[in-house]
């Protein structure tokens, strides 16, 4: 035995001895793809099934599929798995053995897979088959996740396919590596060193995304620079595309609408001008030369100061269709954002997206997808679903969620966003189509195309990824990246089931861990709603940096960037009247939805002050006056965080010390900031209504002025 072999043997032996006793220190870099050893008892069974991996055809994707499977199995079950089983992976086109099996693969679609256990002459063969190589890769990750979550892998016959075609991360990453609303370090795209240097981290990024079915990434911020579309930056994007390609991930770019002027030497960016159209055609051709499978453009136009077609008296449809013409011949798409509102417009900001887009239903090209945020304001801890969903049957509409927690405590608050997204996806638009009177026409069915038969479907998530070792800024923020991918693949998925998988893979499959951890995650977003913006309140954060409470924010350049615009609190009451008596935003919803939101007897109190302006003494369903109920909910939010702290302390035996300590520290920050939100909000609203605190409620420790005076220079993410 050579010394190096001896050393390896010793290390292995030591590792095997120690592994079950103490979890190794971990920093979170491995995400949910940790592949740590399965407990001795269970491992034997798995080894019998997951034996050798048959060779695959020589394609880039099948090679990474096989490598990932080998890597996963080696980590989970060890190098020696000689129980006799075999895993066979591939497509009918690339593997005669798989072709001979004649498996029904239609239901697996273009990116899904079928996994089936066969008995070949007493030998167990697990087949991971798909019509395409990337389907096989997705199947490999699914198979590994079964072992990671300790489910059975014998007797398998499962088929799965994504319900949404475009499942994209949107990076709000700038060319100087800062990240707008990023709380996890710098951009992982090292633009300066690209294209020559490709950080190995890009591969791990692609692995993580492929494992949850994400199939595209918009590399640069929607507040875009035209430079992204110049030759040097196209070459950089092409280098990333080359890294991602084997993983089934395409590259997209945000396009600045005025690029024809800035980098094309034209005097206008008018979408009906022939020179402008020629610029975009040539630009698309240039990009496709470098990136043959380029996905397309994402555009923020005529929104928050960005240029757009309205600058030339043209419409959103004119702008989107011009770009669609440019990328269409190459198979590309245009994602045109519906996040538009203007301060010259006196109408309720919540109404403006609908007002601007609804009239153009049917006017957008087939390769345009209008990308709509989940709610009508801006990624608040809770928003009713955006009224455009269900209202644009003839226009492809896609969903935009925000994974990065701009409004939910940055990366230091533990808030699992799965329930928030599920709440929106399961909301019923009552658009005609599904059941009687539109019942069952959920947002999920709009987004996955079932309701209106969209030709292209999209789910986009604003990424929370940065250079931090743990990628997302905190251990638990990884769950939001993971959950986004899972819900984009299947908008009907249960956020709780997704959390359970994530917790098992990321920390421990032990039920004594996953039970309490998942319960904590499931309640975490509601806790944030409680301590920040209970009962339908919204947009009450600090000005511009959006850190911490700022219900007093008033004045400045535009009313719809203040808090007082949204809460409308005065001596008599609080809330934004969006009923027919007020801004009538409710009228943008289907009649049954509008009726329920308008009716104080039927509206869910979680949305109360989003739609109604009510007296402080209004009797809530608990029997308490509104003011008492509000204060009660603020305090309940703080208590929930204390509950999370206690839960987490109890989970120490199942988590490595390093990650456990980090989460503990972050929860302490969250507890302190939850209390701050509660106190500052209570102090402010009390200064408006002059009411005493309900019995048993602690007064805020500082004066309102002290909260108002707090300054936060250098806040990340601006
Ligand atoms: O949520 C707001 C953010 C902006 C962002 C904008 C948008 C990219 O505060 O930072 O800009 O939304 O979605 O365009």
């Amino acid at each position: 035995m050579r010394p190096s072999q001896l050393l390896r043997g010793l290390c292995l032996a030591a590792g095997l001895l120690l592994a079950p006793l103490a979890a190794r220190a971990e920093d979170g870099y491995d995400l949910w793809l940790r592949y740590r050893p399965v407990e001795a008892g269970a491992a034997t069974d798995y080894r019998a099934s997951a034996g050798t991996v048959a060779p695959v055809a020589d394609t880039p994707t099948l090679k990474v599929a096989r490598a990932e499977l080998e890597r996963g199995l080696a980590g989970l079950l060890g190098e020696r798995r000689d129980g006799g089983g075999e895993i066979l992976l591939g497509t009918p086109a690339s593997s005669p053995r798989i072709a001979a099996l004649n498996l029904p693969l239609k239901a697996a679609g273009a990116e899904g897979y079928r996994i089936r256990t066969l008995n070949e002459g007493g030998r167990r063969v697990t087949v991971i088959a798909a019509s395409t190589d990337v389907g096989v890769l997705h199947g490999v990750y699914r198979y590994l996740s079964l072992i990671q979550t300790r489910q059975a892998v014998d007797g398998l016959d499962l088929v799965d396919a994504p319900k949404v075609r475009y499942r994209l991360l949107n990076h709000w990453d700038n060319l100087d590596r800062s990240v707008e609303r990023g709380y996890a370090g710098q951009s992982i795209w090292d633009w300066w060193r690209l294209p020559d240097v490709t950080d190995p981290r890009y591969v791990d990024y692609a692995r993580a995304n492929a494992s949850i079915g994400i199939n595209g990434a918009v590399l640069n911020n929607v507040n875009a620079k035209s430079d992204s579309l110049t030759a040097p930056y196209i070459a950089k994007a092409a280098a990333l595309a080359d890294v991602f390609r084997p993983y089934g991930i395409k590259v997209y770019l945000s396009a600045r609408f005025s690029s024809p002027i800035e980098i094309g030497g034209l005097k206008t960016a008018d979408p009906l001008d022939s020179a402008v159209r020629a610029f975009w055609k040539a630009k698309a051709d240039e990009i496709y030369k470098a990136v043959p499978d380029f996905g397309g453009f994402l555009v923020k136009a005529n929104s928050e100061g960005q240029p757009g077609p309205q600058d030339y008296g043209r419409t959103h449809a004119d702008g989107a269709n011009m770009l669609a013409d440019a990328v269409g011949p190459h198979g590309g798409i245009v994602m045109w954002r519906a996040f538009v509102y203007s301060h010259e417009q006196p109408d309720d900001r919540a109404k403006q997206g609908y007002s601007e887009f609804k009239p153009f239903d049917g006017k957008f090209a087939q390769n345009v997808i209008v990308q709509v945020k989940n709610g009508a304001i801006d990624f608040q801890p809770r928003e009713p679903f955006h009224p455009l969903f269900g209202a644009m049957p003839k226009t492809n509409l896609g969903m935009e969620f925000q994974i990065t927690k701009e409004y939910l405590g940055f990366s230091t608050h533990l808030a699992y966003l799965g329930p928030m997204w599920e709440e929106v996806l399961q909301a019923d638009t009552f658009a005609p189509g599904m059941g009687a009177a539109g019942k069952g026409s959920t947002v999920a069915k709009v987004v996955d195309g079932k309701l209106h038969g969209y030709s292209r479907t999209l789910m986009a998530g604003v990424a929370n990824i940065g250079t931090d070792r743990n990628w997302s800024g905190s251990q638990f923020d990884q769950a939001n990246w993971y959950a986004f991918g899972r819900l984009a693949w299947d908008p009907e998925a249960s956020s709780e089931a997704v959390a359970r998988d994530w917790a098992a893979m990321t920390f421990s499959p032990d039920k004594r861990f996953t039970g309490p951890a998942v319960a904590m995650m499931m309640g975490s977003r509601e806790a944030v709603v409680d301590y920040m913006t209970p009962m339908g309140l919204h947009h009450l954060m600090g000005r511009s940096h959006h850190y911490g409470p700022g219900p007093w924010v008033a004045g400045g350049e535009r009313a719809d960037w203040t808090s007082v615009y949204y809460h409308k609190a005065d001596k008599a009451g609080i809330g934004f009247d969006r009923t027919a008596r007020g801004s009538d935003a409710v009228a943008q919803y289907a009649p049954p939805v509008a009726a329920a939101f308008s009716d104080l007897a039927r509206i869910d109190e979680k949305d109360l002050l989003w739609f109604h302006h009510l007296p402080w003494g209004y009797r809530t369903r608990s029997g308490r006056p509104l003011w008492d109920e509000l204060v009660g909910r603020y305090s309940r939010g703080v208590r929930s965080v204390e509950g999370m702290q206690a839960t987490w302390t109890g989970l120490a035996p199942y988590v490595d010390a390093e990650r456990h300590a980090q989460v503990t520290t972050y929860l302490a920050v969250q507890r302190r900031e939850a209390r701050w939100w509660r106190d500052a909000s209570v102090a402010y609203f009390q200064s408006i209504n002059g009411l005493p605190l309900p019995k048993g409620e602690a007064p805020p420790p500082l004066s309102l002025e002290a909260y108002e005076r707090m300054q936060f220079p250098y806040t990340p993410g601006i």
Side-chain angles (χ1 to χ4, degrees), residues 183-184 405 409-414 468 472-474 477 666:
Y183 312 103
K405 301 203 315 300
F410 294 4
S411 58
T412 37
H413 294 207
L414 195 165
D468 279 8
S472 301
S474 82
D477 276 321
Y666 279 38

Side-chain angles (χ1 to χ4, degrees), residues 172 180-181 183 221-223 300 303-304 306 337 339 341 349 373 377-380 400 402 406-407 462 541 544 546 717-718:
W172 287 356
E180 182 152 352
R181 311 308 175 183
Y183 312 103
N221 191 354
V222 288
N223 290 330
K300 171 175 178 177
S303 163
E304 300 187 329
Q306 295 299 315
R337 297 177 84 226
F339 177 68
Y341 62 100
R349 171 170 159 192
K373 289 187 181 182
I377 298 291
D378 193 3
F379 298 138
Q380 293 300 294
E400 179 177 314
Q402 192 181 42
E406 174 179 0
Y407 299 106
V462 180
M541 63 291 159
S544 123
H546 298 171
I718 310 181

Side-chain angles (χ1 to χ4, degrees), residues 3 201 327 426 533 611:
R201 194 159 183 165
V327 295
Q426 293 310 322
T533 47
F611 290 109

Side-chain angles (χ1 to χ4, degrees), residues 415-547:
Y416 172 54
L417 304 181
M420 175 164 94
W421 299 333
E422 185 177 7
E423 180 177 295
V424 170
L425 290 166
Q426 293 310 322
D428 201 333
T429 70
F430 280 86
M434 298 311 280
K439 212 169 162 24
S441 298
T442 58
V443 172
K445 293 199 167 64
V446 175
V447 171
D448 72 14
K450 272 197 201 72
L451 187 61
H452 305 309
Y454 288 161
S455 63
R456 286 178 176 75
T457 54
L458 162 77
M459 191 109 115
V462 180
N464 66 349
I465 296 162
T467 48
D468 279 8
R469 268 301 284 177
N470 63 28
W471 299 87
S472 301
S474 82
Q475 305 299 335
F476 273 87
D477 276 321
Q478 298 177 355
N480 294 325
W481 177 7
Y482 178 86
F484 169 75
R486 291 282 304 269
L487 286 169
W489 179 278
D490 179 8
E492 305 282 359
S494 135
S495 65
E496 181 164 9
V498 168
R500 205 173 309 117
D501 286 349
W502 176 81
M505 294 194 277
T506 304
F507 288 108
S508 161
D510 192 319
K511 292 207 164 45
R512 290 166 297 178
F513 173 79
T514 54
V518 170
M520 172 178 84
M521 289 169 75
M522 291 305 290
S524 59
R525 176 270 190 147
E526 203 62 45
V528 176
V529 170
D530 275 348
Y531 63 71
M532 288 187 182
T533 47
M535 305 190 82
L537 290 174
H538 50 286
H539 205 291
L540 304 184
M541 63 291 159
R543 197 198 288 274
S544 123
H545 52 62
H546 298 171
Y547 173 66

